[in-house]
Amino acid sequence: MQASTSAADHHGLNDESHPVAGSVRPETTTQQQEDVPHGSNHADTLSHATSTANEQPERHHRNGHGAKEHDFSDFLTPAPAIASSRYNRQMLIPSISVPGQERISSSKVLIIGLGGLGSPAALYLAGAGVGKLGLLDNDVVESSNLHRQVVHRESSVVNGMTKVQSAIRGCRELNSEIEVVGHDVRLDVTSKARAEAVFDIVAEYDIVLDCTDNPATRYSISDLCVLLGKTLVSGAAQRLEGQILVLNYPLPDDAKRGPCYRCVFPNPPSPEMVKGCGEIGILGSVVGTIGTLMASETLRLIVKGQDEVRKPNMLLYNAWPTDPRSMFRSIGMRPRRTNCVSCGDEEVLAGNNAQKITKEGIVEGQLDYVTFCGVVENIKLLSKENRLDAAEFLRTVASNSRTPAIIDAPDQKMWQNTLIVDTRERHEVEMGPQMKQSVSFPFSKILQQDSKVQEISDLVDYHNHNAVVFLCQRGNDSQIAAQKLTDWRKKHKVRTIENEQERLENSMTRKCFIGDVIGGFTAIERV
């Protein structure tokens, strides 16, 4: 561009279209004067000039018979309608463009689980124009869901809507052009009828998103996708961290597929290590980030297909890392295991005397996913005589007038001098109800430090408590704490403290009830 561009050129005008002062041609002025009716004011003149200007193109393009002088329809093809649709902005991305959007619009995606992961994934896939969006869940929307499950609304809770109903409404309000199908069922393969129904549902879709939160369901979804040849996008998130990986995707070289969930995790985690967000917490933006990434990966798989093959990897996300550079990390995964019972090679499995998972095996109930992953059973560490019913505990603590029926105590006044130990962690105490006149000893400290157990024992002896009752959230940690105190006192039967020997020398051997409350604060709040 030349530096000497004039002001007229800057506005896109040349000398003829925008003549400068003093250069107006006589014939132009004469024509304007002739066209303006006599007696018209300035506004009429402007109106007449505007209408005259609007008529000029028509006269220019038509001949004397009223036909257009130039017809471009023979060699000018109009732009496709989709180019000016609501998806215009994402089609401007070269790697998507019109062909990519057409693939998206004809794709079929199933989201299993409409919680913190499935909610943002559903909204972004609906917004992107996925042709058929399936939503599967059997839960009901609760107020505790709303801080992270962004597809649901307060009205969903008030109206008692299921998550499927609520998510369908949210997706259709966002995009009424796509097909949204609800499957208000539980992904359950424990019976033949249920297993066949689940197979039929998954078979309708091209890509499956696993947005569930328990290992047993994850393994069953992966096996279903392997047997039906469906690509699986799997995500997970807890507290401040999350992960995402793409499984069972097709490989163009040997017509085989990538690793499945069993290839990556041959053995499930121990049941004690599996905690839900209701126990350990979750930041809404963390699970939202993973769900959004799952939607992005799904769209990439739809648009690119087998044209872009990446090595198997797991993307890890940490919302609050010590080093910001480690917020996102990618870990390479091993390829498909040939000895995998789900996607492995039959000849390899036969050599290992192993049997491959089949559809018939799942339908006939030969696979017990719950048993495979293990079940967290309530701890049964204390005897029945050392456990108090929640209702009876409240009555005895409140009135100090009754002895629980399950306790065979000769002294009816034993409950008048009871030490109540709250073993919940600090953040649990801050968020939950508190028992008056209780002392706080976090379970993590009791478990790791014998000094804390000794400190509790010292309180018992110093105040001559007749009973020690431990409390936790659900009645498991309290049993462990009570047992540790019992064991410690048996081990240290004799102890003396300077200047207090006479009072304490026999305290360790006197009778003292040590137990807990069945169900902990959860049971107490239900009374």
Side-chain angles (χ1 to χ4, degrees), residues 57 60-63 67-75:
H60 176 73
H61 290 291
R62 295 183 180 275
N63 55 26
K68 291 184 178 180
E69 294 182 0
H70 303 289
D71 188 358
F72 301 109
S73 61
D74 292 339
F75 59 90

Short mmCIF file of all heavy atoms in Angstrom, two decimals, residues 57 60-63 67-75:
data_model
loop_
_atom_site.label_atom_id
_atom_site.label_comp_id
_atom_site.label_asym_id
_atom_site.label_seq_id
_atom_site.Cartn_x
_atom_site.Cartn_y
_atom_site.Cartn_z
N PRO A 57 -29.37 1.04 -10.41
CA PRO A 57 -28.88 -0.30 -10.72
C PRO A 57 -29.87 -1.12 -11.53
O PRO A 57 -29.50 -1.88 -12.42
CB PRO A 57 -28.64 -0.91 -9.34
CG PRO A 57 -28.48 0.24 -8.44
CD PRO A 57 -29.37 1.31 -8.99
N HIS A 60 -29.69 -0.17 -14.99
CA HIS A 60 -28.41 -0.53 -15.58
C HIS A 60 -28.37 -2.01 -15.98
O HIS A 60 -27.80 -2.35 -17.01
CB HIS A 60 -27.29 -0.22 -14.59
CG HIS A 60 -25.92 -0.65 -15.07
ND1 HIS A 60 -25.26 0.01 -16.06
CD2 HIS A 60 -25.14 -1.70 -14.71
CE1 HIS A 60 -24.09 -0.59 -16.28
NE2 HIS A 60 -24.00 -1.63 -15.47
N HIS A 61 -29.01 -2.87 -15.16
CA HIS A 61 -28.91 -4.31 -15.41
C HIS A 61 -30.02 -4.86 -16.28
O HIS A 61 -30.06 -6.05 -16.55
CB HIS A 61 -28.88 -5.07 -14.08
CG HIS A 61 -27.60 -4.86 -13.31
ND1 HIS A 61 -26.41 -5.36 -13.73
CD2 HIS A 61 -27.35 -4.17 -12.16
CE1 HIS A 61 -25.46 -5.02 -12.87
NE2 HIS A 61 -26.01 -4.29 -11.91
N ARG A 62 -30.97 -4.08 -16.66
CA ARG A 62 -32.07 -4.58 -17.48
C ARG A 62 -32.06 -3.88 -18.84
O ARG A 62 -31.73 -2.72 -18.97
CB ARG A 62 -33.41 -4.35 -16.78
CG ARG A 62 -33.54 -5.15 -15.49
CD ARG A 62 -34.90 -4.96 -14.86
NE ARG A 62 -35.03 -5.71 -13.62
CZ ARG A 62 -35.38 -6.98 -13.54
NH1 ARG A 62 -35.65 -7.65 -14.65
NH2 ARG A 62 -35.47 -7.59 -12.38
N ASN A 63 -32.46 -4.62 -19.86
CA ASN A 63 -32.54 -4.04 -21.19
C ASN A 63 -33.93 -3.46 -21.44
O ASN A 63 -34.76 -3.42 -20.53
CB ASN A 63 -32.19 -5.10 -22.26
CG ASN A 63 -33.07 -6.33 -22.12
OD1 ASN A 63 -34.20 -6.25 -21.62
ND2 ASN A 63 -32.56 -7.49 -22.57
N ALA A 67 -35.58 -7.55 -19.18
CA ALA A 67 -34.76 -8.69 -18.79
C ALA A 67 -33.39 -8.23 -18.30
O ALA A 67 -32.92 -7.16 -18.70
CB ALA A 67 -34.57 -9.65 -19.98
N LYS A 68 -32.74 -9.04 -17.40
CA LYS A 68 -31.41 -8.69 -16.92
C LYS A 68 -30.41 -8.78 -18.06
O LYS A 68 -30.43 -9.71 -18.85
CB LYS A 68 -30.99 -9.62 -15.79
CG LYS A 68 -31.78 -9.42 -14.50
CD LYS A 68 -31.24 -10.32 -13.41
CE LYS A 68 -32.00 -10.10 -12.11
NZ LYS A 68 -31.49 -10.97 -11.03
N GLU A 69 -29.52 -7.78 -18.07
CA GLU A 69 -28.50 -7.79 -19.12
C GLU A 69 -27.45 -8.87 -18.85
O GLU A 69 -26.89 -9.42 -19.78
CB GLU A 69 -27.84 -6.42 -19.18
CG GLU A 69 -28.79 -5.31 -19.64
CD GLU A 69 -28.09 -3.98 -19.73
OE1 GLU A 69 -26.89 -3.95 -19.42
OE2 GLU A 69 -28.74 -3.00 -20.08
N HIS A 70 -27.16 -9.16 -17.50
CA HIS A 70 -26.14 -10.14 -17.16
C HIS A 70 -26.73 -11.17 -16.21
O HIS A 70 -27.17 -10.83 -15.12
CB HIS A 70 -24.93 -9.46 -16.50
CG HIS A 70 -24.32 -8.39 -17.35
ND1 HIS A 70 -23.61 -8.66 -18.50
CD2 HIS A 70 -24.34 -7.04 -17.21
CE1 HIS A 70 -23.19 -7.52 -19.04
NE2 HIS A 70 -23.64 -6.51 -18.27
N ASP A 71 -26.75 -12.44 -16.56
CA ASP A 71 -27.24 -13.53 -15.74
C ASP A 71 -26.07 -14.46 -15.41
O ASP A 71 -25.52 -15.11 -16.30
CB ASP A 71 -28.33 -14.31 -16.49
CG ASP A 71 -29.01 -15.34 -15.59
OD1 ASP A 71 -28.58 -15.45 -14.42
OD2 ASP A 71 -29.94 -16.00 -16.06
N PHE A 72 -25.67 -14.51 -14.05
CA PHE A 72 -24.50 -15.29 -13.66
C PHE A 72 -24.85 -16.70 -13.18
O PHE A 72 -23.99 -17.43 -12.72
CB PHE A 72 -23.75 -14.57 -12.52
CG PHE A 72 -23.30 -13.18 -12.90
CD1 PHE A 72 -23.91 -12.08 -12.34
CD2 PHE A 72 -22.28 -13.00 -13.81
CE1 PHE A 72 -23.51 -10.80 -12.67
CE2 PHE A 72 -21.86 -11.72 -14.16
CZ PHE A 72 -22.48 -10.62 -13.59
N SER A 73 -26.10 -17.09 -13.23
CA SER A 73 -26.51 -18.38 -12.67
C SER A 73 -25.87 -19.55 -13.39
O SER A 73 -25.75 -20.64 -12.84
CB SER A 73 -28.03 -18.51 -12.70
OG SER A 73 -28.51 -18.43 -14.04
N ASP A 74 -25.47 -19.36 -14.64
CA ASP A 74 -24.88 -20.47 -15.40
C ASP A 74 -23.51 -20.86 -14.87
O ASP A 74 -23.10 -22.00 -15.03
CB ASP A 74 -24.80 -20.11 -16.88
CG ASP A 74 -26.17 -20.01 -17.51
OD1 ASP A 74 -27.11 -20.59 -16.93
OD2 ASP A 74 -26.30 -19.36 -18.55
N PHE A 75 -22.77 -19.90 -14.29
CA PHE A 75 -21.42 -20.23 -13.84
C PHE A 75 -21.15 -19.83 -12.39
O PHE A 75 -20.04 -19.98 -11.90
CB PHE A 75 -20.38 -19.56 -14.75
CG PHE A 75 -20.48 -18.07 -14.80
CD1 PHE A 75 -19.79 -17.27 -13.90
CD2 PHE A 75 -21.28 -17.45 -15.75
CE1 PHE A 75 -19.88 -15.90 -13.96
CE2 PHE A 75 -21.37 -16.07 -15.81
CZ PHE A 75 -20.68 -15.29 -14.91
#
